[in-house]
Amino acid sequence: MNWIDTAAVYGLGHSEELVGKAIAGLPRAQRPYVFTKAGLVWEPEDPAASPRRIMKPASVRREVEESLRRLGVDHIDLYQVHYPDTGESLEYAGGGFGAVSPNATPLEKYWQVMADLKAEGKVRAIGLSNHTPDLLKAAERIAHVEVIQPPFSAINRSAAAEIAWAEAHGTGVIVYSPMQSGLLTGTFTAERAANLGADDWRSSHHDFTTGLTANLALAEALRPVAARHGVSVAEVAIAWTLAWPGLTGAIVGARTTRQVDGWIGAGSVTLTADDLAEIARAIGTTGAGQGPVRPA
């Protein structure tokens, strides 16, 4: 593994500080690439409040300087816009783009700032996370979109259009939530879903309520594929995303080393055409999620 994905908003700066400590003192040749993001701004005086989607030029410039300081680096390898600027608070990251405030910064303005940061050497590459194809097209007219970062899994397949756009434009694709927040790990259960706390966003989300039965049935259908390859269900779920043309990588997370052991081999799993057909049939049979059921 040679890269770390983080963001300023994760832990309200704490994640970047931890990454900075982890890479401090490493020779440049041994240091992993560091990717971080801008555009979710919190109020230091009220850290419990939902961060706002803000991409005003002055705000972005302040954010990049703060990220450089927390990370302890002289440049950021990939700097991404977390969400389109709506000027509003972020509720749940997977819950859509929400209403656009009159205070929102147009994409044309904030993408130009990102291009300027690259020209100045503060960042080496720029990307857009959670941006729709129409926004990607608009950004490309200003500066090349080098990377996109959409959510994508065998359950949430709605970003297929963005991935196709990226492949056609020589744009890298890093997807997040390839295991759909734990549903495709092979260890999540209906009992666990029923015991989620009221303060856990999953307790009221469709994927973990009305869609839970179909989603768990899909995870179960991945077991025979996993058994044939001698890997875990989680590794099959991640490998399924990597099988899509144009995919560069998939972001995965873990709270324990044991969880890392459960998915670390996904990068070396190559699903066959028969595997992909079997998974496509399972998606159709279970009715899980939405979007194309297999790579083109």
Side-chain angles (χ1 to χ4, degrees):
M1 297 179 65
N2 64 350
W3 55 282
I4 298 173
D5 175 272
T6 187
V9 77
Y10 298 161
L12 308 186
H14 185 58
S15 176
E16 286 186 333
E17 291 174 353
L18 288 180
V19 171
K21 290 179 181 179
I23 65 176
L26 285 178
R28 188 175 294 271
Q30 296 178 19
R31 183 183 299 174
Y33 296 117
V34 176
F35 305 163
T36 192
K37 312 177 193 72
L40 287 183
V41 179
W42 66 92
E43 295 292 340
E45 298 78 14
D46 188 11
S50 294
R52 291 182 296 155
R53 301 180 187 180
I54 298 176
M55 282 296 295
K56 295 184 184 301
S59 179
V60 175
R61 287 191 170 277
R62 183 180 65 253
E63 279 203 77
V64 75
E65 294 298 338
E66 291 175 350
S67 288
L68 287 168
R69 175 182 56 79
R70 285 189 291 259
L71 291 165
V73 296
D74 58 9
H75 70 271
I76 293 166
D77 295 301
L78 171 62
Y79 202 43
Q80 300 164 95
V81 180
H82 217 141
Y83 280 92
D85 186 332
T86 63
E88 298 295 331
S89 296
L90 175 72
E91 297 298 336
Y92 158 60
F97 294 102
V100 176
S101 163
N103 298 322
T105 305
L107 174 137
E108 290 78 7
K109 183 173 289 188
Y110 67 72
W111 189 238
Q112 183 61 58
V113 174
M114 296 288 285
D116 292 344
L117 291 176
K118 180 182 176 182
E120 295 163 15
K122 293 183 183 295
V123 304
R124 289 199 171 171
I126 52 177
L128 292 169
S129 180
N130 299 300
H131 281 60
T132 54
D134 58 325
L135 294 176
L136 297 177
K137 293 174 185 176
E140 188 71 11
R141 290 193 289 268
I142 298 165
H144 181 46
V145 180
E146 292 171 301
V147 176
I148 66 169
Q149 188 179 122
F152 192 62
S153 73
I155 293 172
N156 182 4
R157 307 178 300 279
S158 57
E162 289 98 301
I163 294 170
W165 182 91
E167 184 189 18
H169 288 82
T171 294
V173 180
I174 303 171
V175 298
Y176 69 87
S177 292
M179 295 178 287
Q180 202 62 21
S181 300
L183 285 170
L184 294 175
T185 58
T187 61
F188 201 88
T189 64
E191 180 182 11
R192 183 176 172 191
N195 290 317
L196 291 171
D199 59 344
D200 190 321
W201 63 264
R202 295 174 297 178
S203 65
S204 59
H205 192 271
H206 165 77
D207 284 341
F208 292 84
T209 54
T210 55
L212 181 65
T213 299
N215 293 337
L216 293 182
L218 176 57
E220 198 62 29
L222 299 182
R223 290 194 188 281
V225 180
R228 286 198 297 273
H229 288 268
V231 298
S232 68
V233 168
E235 285 165 329
V236 170
I238 298 167
W240 183 89
T241 66
L242 296 176
W244 285 70
L247 253 289
T248 310
I251 296 171
V252 288
R255 296 178 186 273
T256 67
T257 53
R258 181 178 56 80
Q259 289 177 346
V260 174
D261 290 338
W263 51 251
I264 194 66
S268 60
V269 177
T270 300
L271 298 178
T272 67
D274 287 343
D275 293 332
L276 294 172
E278 183 175 336
I279 295 170
R281 287 192 298 271
I283 292 172
T285 300
T286 61
Q290 57 183 350
V293 299
R294 65 175 297 170

